[in-house]
Amino acid sequence: MGIPPPKTLREARLCPWWPQYKKAAKIEYDGHLKAGTWKLVPKTQVPPGRNILRGKWVFDDKRDESGKIIKFKARFVAMGFT
């Protein structure tokens, strides 16, 4: 049913629906900042002996019964195994 959701940020940027995924990613990012769940710290400011927890973007969409996209979703997830 159409193009599958992108698997990486690079794929999302090349996708014809990048503006909608970008908007969904901004909503996710702003939500994390507002909730105080994390903050972006430059590598130069990480104390010695501390690990940086990496993350990645996951994109998806919600479709109706006929396969038409009704919502674009983006989530930033921690890669906890690192």
Side-chain angles (χ1 to χ4, degrees):
M1 284 205 200
I3 301 172
K7 295 192 182 291
T8 64
L9 182 58
R10 173 177 270 153
E11 283 183 18
R13 286 184 174 152
L14 297 174
C15 178
W17 297 302
W18 170 239
Q20 291 89 340
Y21 282 123
K22 184 178 179 181
K23 183 178 176 184
K26 173 112 174 80
I27 291 169
E28 173 77 357
Y29 178 76
D30 291 345
H32 279 294
L33 290 180
K34 184 177 178 183
T37 55
W38 63 279
K39 65 180 179 177
L40 191 60
V41 178
K43 283 185 177 183
T44 58
Q45 293 182 3
V46 176
R50 294 288 191 159
N51 292 332
I52 298 172
L53 187 61
R54 294 179 23 208
K56 71 175 192 170
W57 285 100
V58 177
F59 300 95
D60 201 2
D61 53 53
K62 188 172 183 177
R63 298 173 185 251
D64 64 10
E65 305 81 32
S66 64
K68 181 181 174 190
I69 298 175
I70 57 175
K71 183 177 182 181
F72 291 88
K73 300 188 280 185
R75 297 290 179 260
F76 190 76
V77 296
M79 296 168 51
F81 58 86
T82 57

